[in-house]
Amino acid sequence: MKNIKDLNLENKKVIIRCDFNVPIKEGKIIDDTRIVASLQTINYCLEHHAKIILMSHLGRVKEESDLAKNDLAPVAVRLAELLNRPVKFIPQTRGSALEEAIATMNPQDIILMQNTRYEDLEGKKESSNDEELGKYWASLGDIFINDAFGTAHRAHASNVGIATHLPSAPGFLIEKELTALNSLNDPEHPFIVILGGAKVSDKIGVIANLVKKADKIIIGGGMAFTFLKAQGYETGTSLIDSDSLEFCTNILKEYANKIILPIDVAITTEFTEKEEYKVKPINDILQNEMGLDIGPKTLELFEENLKDAKIVVWNGPLGVYEFSKYKVGTDKLLAYLVNNNIKTILGGGDIVAAANNYKEQVYHASTGGGATLEYLEGKILPGIEVLK
Ligand code: AMP
């Protein structure tokens, strides 16, 4: 795979596929993290006097009414502020206005094209990697840089399509993701996996792939209760994923010594934050009770299993982190990893959102939920594969 630094960008029309899929409410950007994250690659292209053509998707476009709310125009305004230079927004995804704007570009000019998913309105051209569309977009540039890790697990016209027709390389953001995630291919040991979140069924692929490589798999969150039920415990009204019971039974049988489950939990009777909770051992859950976080003894058990870890990957929170009371287990374990300098990769599902206060302190917090999850399942990411 080429590196951006291997490419001569001078005076070239460089298409950068960014991830500008930011939350926008009434035309205002609520969180510009993803725009800020794209600056390193854009600045590098500016320093090397490229003509910069930016593309990104925003939200989903299924019908006419999705167009206005997924208009990329506010991103051009914010990006211009951050770069302190003009960013010309072209409100179309094809046609003469776009082509003429590109034809008259000077080095260091920046154009942002309209949301690539506007092409999904008729025939899902972007999302189904329509051949003609990928070829057309590629014809607008000389070089392609993919810096959108969040869509790397999908073959779209704006990543795979364009890359098929142009000299291509990953941007700095994707490179950083790959460096971190690739360290799991041949991991240092002990390699420990922490899994939480809601459903076992969402994580079967991850468990099946990582249980072979990891020394231990620590399980918390809602998914722990399906494992506990498979072991014969009463789990009350806790989240249970009945379709995955058989999978849990089998994996517990085969890898009994690798799987670490909670031994106590924070129990309540209502799925709200108002109710008081009790901490109970897992053999004492009543029929009307549900577990919403791990308990203190479990935290100790998890810490004990992590103390010598050389690398940790963590997917999914250990409790209902949206309620601050049930975020305690997740927070405390994060603090333990950070305070003990344990090399930790956070990725997939809601763990990065739950770990907001620790994002800067961990070794790597991945930006691509779905892409990271598929990577952890051992799947090939087409948006990366095509760059090879
Ligand atoms: P994921 O997207 O797989 O990371 O799942 C995150 C979701 O799992 C969050 O919305 C959490 O509230 C939820 N979750 C974590 N622990 C529990 C639990 N014990 N009971 C119910 N939901 C949980």
Side-chain angles (χ1 to χ4, degrees):
M1 182 154 39
K2 278 209 176 75
N3 184 289
I4 189 169
K5 292 182 178 164
D6 300 330
L7 299 167
N8 176 11
L9 306 178
E10 191 79 27
N11 211 8
K12 298 275 174 31
K13 288 175 281 179
V14 177
I15 300 175
I16 312 176
R17 173 53 162 103
C18 298
D19 181 359
F20 291 146
N21 187 28
V22 291
I24 298 183
K25 240 189 201 154
E26 287 152 16
K28 282 217 159 59
I29 296 170
I30 296 167
D31 179 354
D32 67 357
T33 310
R34 286 184 168 152
I35 306 178
V36 173
S38 72
L39 295 179
Q40 192 186 357
T41 300
I42 297 173
N43 277 323
Y44 180 86
C45 293
L46 279 171
E47 282 158 24
H48 288 78
H49 302 103
K51 301 170 181 175
I52 301 168
I53 303 157
L54 304 174
M55 297 185 184
S56 175
H57 79 281
L58 175 64
R60 292 215 170 118
V61 177
K62 287 188 179 150
E63 47 198 53
E64 285 286 328
S65 62
D66 294 328
L67 291 174
K69 61 178 181 245
N70 291 308
D71 189 330
L72 259 189
V75 171
V77 176
R78 182 68 190 125
L79 187 60
E81 283 167 7
L82 289 166
L83 290 168
N84 199 18
R85 60 196 311 137
V87 173
K88 184 169 187 171
F89 181 66
I90 306 293
Q92 291 87 25
T93 49
R94 60 169 85 211
S96 55
L98 178 66
E99 291 157 23
E100 277 157 28
I102 292 173
T104 54
M105 281 177 99
N106 289 311
Q108 297 186 312
D109 280 354
I110 305 174
I111 281 178
L112 173 64
M113 188 186 85
Q114 183 56 279
N115 181 0
T116 54
R117 288 199 183 158
Y118 272 39
E119 290 284 346
D120 278 351
L121 196 56
E122 279 160 39
K124 281 194 145 273
K125 291 201 167 83
E126 153 73 329
S127 297
S128 66
N129 187 15
D130 177 79
E131 210 182 314
E132 177 273 328
L133 182 61
K135 211 168 167 180
Y136 169 69
W137 279 339
S139 76
L140 303 173
D142 304 312
I143 286 172
F144 177 62
I145 305 293
N146 188 8
D147 216 12
F149 187 69
T151 47
H153 58 313
R154 304 272 178 254
H156 287 172
S158 67
N159 57 6
V160 173
I162 303 177
T164 311
H165 300 285
L166 286 180
S168 307
F172 292 110
L173 202 59
I174 285 200
E175 218 171 62
K176 197 167 151 245
E177 292 280 357
L178 291 179
T179 306
L181 292 173
N182 284 342
S183 62
L184 302 174
N185 288 343
D186 183 15
E188 290 178 83
H189 291 274
F191 166 37
I192 316 282
V193 178
I194 306 172
L195 294 178
K199 291 170 86 186
V200 180
S201 56
D202 294 340
K203 315 278 163 100
I204 285 181
V206 179
I207 300 171
N209 184 39
L210 293 183
V211 77
K212 292 177 226 141
K213 295 186 191 172
D215 298 284
K216 294 269 161 62
I217 298 205
I218 288 174
I219 296 181
M223 61 187 280
F225 294 96
T226 307
F227 279 89
L228 293 171
K229 195 176 172 90
Q231 285 186 323
Y233 288 105
E234 169 63 60
T235 52
T237 54
S238 305
L239 194 67
I240 294 295
D241 192 357
S242 305
D243 294 344
S244 304
L245 271 171
E246 198 182 327
F247 169 82
C248 293
T249 307
N250 292 339
I251 206 109
L252 281 168
K253 232 185 251 163
E254 199 172 347
Y255 295 100
N257 56 341
K258 279 198 182 183
I259 295 178
I260 316 289
L261 292 168
I263 50 176
D264 63 348
V265 277
I267 292 291
T268 183
T269 49
E270 301 275 341
F271 191 82
T272 69
E273 209 168 0
K274 288 182 216 124
E275 293 279 309
E276 282 305 308
Y277 70 85
K278 289 185 216 152
V279 172
K280 281 191 166 185
I282 42 128
N283 59 2
D284 200 18
I285 303 175
L286 303 179
Q287 272 179 2
N288 65 337
E289 292 176 331
M290 66 180 81
L292 297 185
D293 197 3
I294 58 166
K297 291 213 167 74
T298 302
L299 184 69
E300 265 174 45
L301 173 73
F302 287 0
E303 288 176 357
E304 179 60 28
N305 278 280
L306 284 160
K307 73 176 189 309
D308 300 320
K310 284 280 181 313
I311 187 155
V312 172
V313 64
W314 184 343
N315 168 285
L318 302 181
V320 180
Y321 76 97
E322 296 91 336
F323 299 154
S324 56
K325 286 190 170 153
Y326 302 118
K327 192 172 182 268
V328 175
T330 303
D331 268 345
K332 288 198 166 160
L333 200 62
L334 278 163
Y336 177 82
L337 293 167
V338 166
N339 294 337
N340 289 282
N341 290 319
I342 297 172
K343 188 172 176 182
T344 302
I345 296 175
L346 305 177
D350 280 3
I351 188 60
V352 176
N356 210 13
N357 299 337
Y358 298 89
K359 253 195 281 203
E360 307 300 323
Q361 297 165 64
V362 291
Y363 168 67
H364 184 68
S366 181
T367 56
T372 311
L373 204 62
E374 293 205 9
Y375 188 96
L376 297 179
E377 287 174 20
K379 289 188 183 159
I380 281 169
L381 306 181
I384 306 293
E385 203 56 21
V386 72
L387 303 176
K388 287 183 181 164

